[in-house]
Amino acid sequence: MKTTLALFTLSLVFLYSCTETVVGPAGPRGDQGPVGPQGAAGESGYVFEYENINFSAGNNYEVLLEYPSDFEGLQSDVALVYLLWPLEDNLDYDVWRLLPQQTLFNDGGILQYNYDFTASDVRLFLDANFPLNELGAIHTDQWIARVVVVPGEFWGSGRVDFSDYEDVKELLGLPDLNLSRNNEIVRSE
């Protein structure tokens, strides 16, 4: 009888110990491991600059920017478009603004610079809640755009603020495209 009771008690203890887990406090963090080897050099992003972009009734206030013929885009790529946004003050640096975040409010209503893209081109267009033929040259003529093609694996990674061209340039290792224009276009609202 003692043997049966001992086996029964031992079985209960064994079953109880298998069903309940007690977690203690976390221990101290271990040392950082060594940095892994550098991966093979590769291209992680592309930038193309387009000048003399003009929106007019003749082109239905839209412009198609085709990628260079030696570039092959992928369906997973994402295109970002930045407009050079010269300001009244002649600054020592360029101000690039991400689309479609550029919305202007004026007496006529609301104007937005926008775009869509495919694996081979970008279409820039103007959208407004008033007739676009009421726009002056300040809003339609002589724009400069940079199109950054971002590989799909970077998109949504949370590693960069895509609204900041300089952050994107640094992350993707984009080349400097400094033209000798010194903000010659002045736009005032």
Side-chain angles (χ1 to χ4, degrees):
M1 178 82 173
K2 286 184 184 180
T3 307
T4 307
L5 185 58
L7 286 175
F8 180 72
T9 305
L10 185 60
S11 299
L12 287 177
V13 169
F14 178 73
L15 287 174
Y16 179 75
S17 66
C18 291
T19 59
E20 184 175 321
T21 303
V22 177
V23 178
R29 185 176 186 134
D31 293 335
Q32 179 72 25
V35 175
Q38 178 67 35
E43 297 171 329
S44 56
Y46 304 89
V47 61
F48 309 111
E49 187 162 287
Y50 302 86
E51 296 182 347
N52 300 318
I53 298 170
N54 297 301
F55 301 97
S56 68
N59 63 17
N60 200 29
Y61 298 95
E62 64 182 52
V63 178
L64 189 66
L65 307 175
E66 295 182 4
Y67 297 154
S69 59
D70 62 343
F71 175 77
E72 185 176 338
L74 302 175
Q75 291 299 324
S76 61
D77 291 343
V78 175
L80 301 173
V81 178
Y82 299 85
L83 287 182
L84 178 61
W85 207 275
L87 305 173
E88 286 185 37
D89 298 328
N90 191 11
L91 302 174
D92 292 337
Y93 55 89
D94 291 336
V95 176
W96 294 97
R97 293 188 177 175
L98 178 65
L99 297 185
Q101 297 175 357
Q102 301 320 306
T103 302
L104 303 176
F105 301 92
N106 61 30
D107 294 339
I110 300 171
L111 169 65
Q112 185 173 50
Y113 295 86
N114 209 335
Y115 75 102
D116 55 30
F117 65 93
T118 69
S120 60
D121 59 38
V122 167
R123 181 179 67 103
L124 299 180
F125 58 95
L126 301 183
D127 191 20
N129 64 353
F130 59 88
L132 291 171
N133 62 359
E134 295 177 6
L135 292 172
I138 197 169
H139 298 293
T140 60
D141 295 352
Q142 300 298 307
W143 285 96
I144 298 173
R146 284 191 180 165
V147 175
V148 178
V149 179
V150 180
E153 70 259 15
F154 284 101
W155 193 251
S157 67
R159 294 192 290 173
V160 69
D161 175 8
F162 286 104
S163 67
D164 185 332
Y165 178 75
E166 293 302 319
D167 281 355
V168 172
K169 183 176 130 184
E170 183 179 329
L171 172 74
L172 300 178
L174 300 175
D176 284 325
L177 298 179
N178 294 330
L179 300 178
S180 58
R181 61 178 167 269
N182 296 325
N183 286 332
E184 61 206 29
I185 304 166
V186 176
R187 299 186 200 291
S188 59
E189 306 309 319

